[in-house]
Every structure is written in C-alpha cells, then in structure tokens.
Amino acid sequence: MALSLNPALDVNYLSQIYGDDASIIQIIFEAFLSDSLPRWKSLKSLIEEENIAEAASVVHGIKPSFTMAGLTGIRLKVEALERDIHNEVETKEIVAHYLRINEDVERIIPILEEEAEKLGHLAS
C-alpha cells in the first residue's frame, strides 16, 4: 500500500527512502517542525546581525533536514543561500534571498503539519 502524501512534497524521494513507513515519515515531519523550523527562523536575525559564522553554521546544519522531509526543491535554494553566506554577499541581498525561501517554507508548514497528523492516525 503506497502512502498518499501531498504532491507539494517530494513524494518519490520520501517513498524511496522511507517506503510506506508512516511512523518514520511522521517522526521526520515532526522533527523538522520542532527542531529545524525554529533554527531556520533564527537564521534571519543572525544574517541581519551579520553573525556570518553562526549563520553559516545554522544553515549548514539544517540543510539536510529539508531533503529528509521531502523538501528537495527548497533544499536547493537553501544551498544557494549557504553559498551567498560563505561568499559574504551583501547582507541586504542575503536577507532578501532568505525571505524568498521563507515564503516557500511558510507555504509548506501547514502541509507538513497536516501530513504529520494524518500519518499519526495511520501509524496508530
């Protein structure tokens, strides 16, 4: 039985890596929402404060979680943001880049929340 997940997610990737294991996918989504998302949100102020070393560390640390949660399209954008930070692109340009990615992140949050809840019911 194949899980029916929102097509806004990289369903092929999730299926390839986790199969039909609803409980594992639920854990991944919840971990993204409870751990990676707050770290993502903290990134904007680090960039604005020009705390480049910490911003680079945060973005590097959370980058894999985008892929793990089936957000492979956003992951590519986060990689580009990381390059901008490492290349010390002008702060206002990095903030603008962050904000563009954050629009995608904000759109996907309700989908992850809904899918995690749905998967929780399947797993129990």
Side-chain angles (χ1 to χ4, degrees), residues 36-106:
S36 300
L37 186 59
R39 291 171 61 207
W40 169 257
K41 296 290 186 185
S42 75
L43 187 56
K44 181 176 182 266
S45 61
L46 292 172
I47 296 166
E48 290 172 336
E49 295 163 5
E50 298 185 5
N51 188 341
I52 300 305
E54 186 62 22
S57 175
V58 168
V59 77
H60 184 75
I62 63 173
K63 189 172 53 175
S65 65
F66 285 92
T67 302
M68 290 176 63
L71 308 176
T72 52
I74 296 175
R75 158 77 186 248
L76 295 172
K77 295 174 183 182
V78 172
E79 287 175 357
L81 177 66
E82 182 180 30
R83 282 191 300 276
D84 284 355
I85 292 169
H86 282 294
N87 293 332
E88 298 184 24
V89 171
E90 192 174 329
T91 300
K92 69 179 183 179
E93 290 182 36
I94 297 174
V95 170
H97 193 169
Y98 169 90
L99 291 172
R100 286 191 302 274
I101 298 168
N102 194 58
E103 288 177 12
D104 293 339
V105 172
E106 290 295 330

Side-chain angles (χ1 to χ4, degrees), residues 3 5 22 25-26 29 114-123:
L3 291 175
L5 296 171
I25 299 171
Q26 177 196 16
F29 289 170
E114 180 180 308
E115 292 297 327
E117 183 176 339
K118 181 176 78 174
L119 292 168
H121 294 298
L122 289 176

Side-chain angles (χ1 to χ4, degrees), residues 10-31:
D10 187 341
V11 177
N12 289 333
Y13 174 84
L14 293 169
S15 176
Q16 180 182 357
I17 299 301
Y18 309 116
D20 290 337
D21 193 332
S23 61
I24 293 295
I25 299 171
Q26 177 196 16
I27 290 167
I28 294 295
F29 289 170
E30 288 178 349

Side-chain angles (χ1 to χ4, degrees), residues 33 105-115:
L33 293 165
V105 172
E106 290 295 330
R107 274 193 294 276
I108 209 74
I109 291 169
I111 292 169
L112 288 176
E113 291 170 339
E114 180 180 308
E115 292 297 327

